[in-house]
Every structure is written in C-alpha cells, then in structure tokens.
Amino acid sequence: MTFAKLTATAHYAPEQVVTNDDLSQIMETSDEWIASRTGIRQRHIVQDENTSDLAANVAQQLLEKASLAAEDLDFIIVATVSPDGNMPSTASLVQAKIGAIKAFAFDLTAACSGFVYALSVADKLIASGAYRNGIVIGAEVLSKIVDWSDRSTSVLFGDGAGGVLLQASSDTPLILAESLKSDGNRGMSLTSNLTHANSPFSKSESEDDLFLKMDGRAIFDFAVRDVPKNILESLEKAELNPDDIDYLLLHQANSRILDKMARKIKTERCKFLQNMQEYGNTSAASIPILLSEAVDAGTIKLGSSQKLVLTGFGGGLTWGTLVVKI
Ligand code: ACO
C-alpha cells in the first residue's frame, strides 16, 4: 500500500507590506475598525509579481528543501482564484519556471478551500500508485481582483503563496479522515470574475462583474455555523476527540471566526494557529502559509506524528476538513 507523506513546506509573500494605517491614507477606514473586526493589521501586496511568480518561488524552495530535482516531479497542483489567466494555468506556468519537464500541471478552483481540496486530490493521486512526487500550492494575488473603491472588502485581503511537497511512502496514511463539502445554492454570496455571453449572436443583457464581491454577514454566519460541524464530523470519522489534535489550521479570514469556532468545538483557542494579522486573508494560500510558518518556527514538526486539523471555507460555497498525521 502506498501513502503520501508530507516531506517539505514553504511559503513566500511579496516584500511590500501595506498596513491598516497605509490603507487609511487612501480610503475612509482605520486600524481600529479593521483590527477589531478582523484581527488583520497588515497584508503583503505585489508590485509587479503575478500569481505564478509567487507559486514558482514556493515550488523552488520545496525542491531545494527536499533535495529533489525538478524533473523528478510527477505533478503540480495550484489552488487559486486569482490565476495569471485561464490559459495557460498558473500550474503550467510554474512547471515551466522551475523546469519540471515530466510533471503534469493544473489549477484547482475552490476559493479559500482550494488548498484543502487540492491536498486531498494529491493524496489520492499518490495513493493510486501511479505517481510518487507532487507539489500542492495555494497562491493568490487577490490585490488584482479586489475592488479598491470598496472599503468593506479591499481591507480584508492580501497576496501570498504556500505549499507542500508530497512523496510516496509505505508507512502510514497522511490523511486520517476527511470531509469536503460544497453548496452552490449559496454561491452568489461571494463572487468574482462573473462573465456573460457577449458574442454577436448572444442575447444576454447582463453586465460582467469582474471584482470580488462579498455578503460579509452571510459568509460570517456560514463560517460559524457549517464549519464547526464539519470539523467535528471529520474528527468523529477519524475516531478522535478535539483534545487529541495538536493544532488546528483554519483558513485565515477573520480572528472573530476563529474565536467562535474554538467555543463551538470546545477546544483551547491557543491551538488555533493564527497569522492573518500579518497577511490578511490570502484565500487558498492561507493554510499552507500558516503551516509553513509553524514548521519554520518548530511548532509543527514534519515526521513527528503530530495530528492536525486543516480546514478551508469560502467561495462556492465550499468548505472541508482534513485530519492529518504528519
Ligand atoms: N472601514 C470603516 N468602516 C467600514 C469599513 C472599513 N474598511 N468597511 C465597512 N465599513 C462600515 C460599513 O460601511 C458599515 O457602515 P454603516 O453601518 O454606516 O452602513 C459598517 O462599517 C458595517 O460594520 P459592521 O456591521 O460592524 O460590519 P461587520 O461586523 O459585519 O464586519 C466584516 C464586516 C468584517 C466583513 C464581517 O462581516 C466579516 O468578518 N465577515 C466574514 C467574511 C470574511 O471574512 N470574508 C472573507 C472572505 S470569505 C472567506 O475567506 C471565507
């Protein structure tokens, strides 16, 4: 039996830091408003990099950390809602940038659940026995899709990328239990890049809506109602209690959401790792950046058999939990 093993983590954020005070210079907002409602104090914003540049930086670091040659990679999956373009995929651009000539590459779109979905898919690709080495990256340049004239959304998001290297190993499974969910009926509460028929033969009168739009209250309610249930259901499948989990790495949207989650699943708040104060909400990149920072800090140790909960939630609507043993 072949299982995937998580053998390296990496992250990268653009050098430019934009603080809440910086934002208050260009729009009617304040550090107090943003920090008290979200926990966010700053975010990284690209100057001239695109999503594939951030993701390729992460991919290169992963190869170096594992001393793996690019040509030994079998696949590259990039989870993103802010790709360089629809074609070529951001993953294909990463493949070219790092010279992974034998890898197949594709993007996966599941918004802020993208990394969790992609890690689940990658785990199955390796468990199939067909592939041995794969990279899963969450990468976003959300600064190019937010509406900078809308203070209710633009203050929330940031740019960055994080990722993991998965390699075939014969000992124990990485994923102990999982539960991935979608509800397209509630999808319009978080949208971006909505396009319509516009050919000389079409009859559509709808306008395209390219910017990110969000019903903040609806998303908040979704996060605190559906997501704790999903975590508890996943733990039950793994036959574990919240106390058995070393750390919970949830999508970094808002610290108040994490406070409520901790109460709902009756787990100490300090087990919920948090870095949105430094990065803002980086959608598909938030969980792998958090994981990589925790590995760098020694809080999480690869190969230590620590048990983690990885939970994404966001546009689609999508949400999902992986209970992993690393
Ligand atoms: N600065 C100052 N005032 C602002 C700002 C801002 N940046 N943005 C909005 N406001 C004003 C509004 O105009 C409104 O004013 P009004 O009452 O005079 O009309 C008022 O603040 C709204 O304030 P609140 O009702 O206190 O806002 P709320 O508590 O709903 O907080 C927030 C908004 C933070 C977006 C909240 O709804 C939330 O956390 N939602 C979760 C959604 C989320 O985090 N989404 C991230 C993307 S989705 C995802 O990743 C899952």
Side-chain angles (χ1 to χ4, degrees), residues 21 49-50 57 99 129 150 154 187 204 214 240 249 254 300 324:
D21 286 335
E49 293 162 300
N50 211 333
N57 182 304
D150 175 10
S154 55
S204 171
M214 175 180 74
L240 294 171
L249 288 77
N254 182 311
I300 292 177
V324 300

Side-chain angles (χ1 to χ4, degrees), residues 163-213:
V164 298
L165 175 67
L166 291 186
Q167 298 189 273
S169 128
S170 54
D171 33 39
T172 51
L174 171 68
I175 299 179
L176 304 179
E178 65 178 84
S179 173
L180 305 183
K181 306 269 186 188
S182 300
D183 181 4
N185 286 318
R186 288 185 280 169
M188 296 313 281
S189 52
L190 187 49
T191 61
S192 82
N193 204 27
L194 298 179
T195 56
H196 300 92
N198 66 354
S199 78
F201 310 102
S202 65
K203 291 183 180 156
S204 171
E205 285 172 11
S206 304
E207 298 264 317
D208 289 354
D209 198 350
L210 301 182
F211 287 129
L212 187 152
K213 292 226 161 49

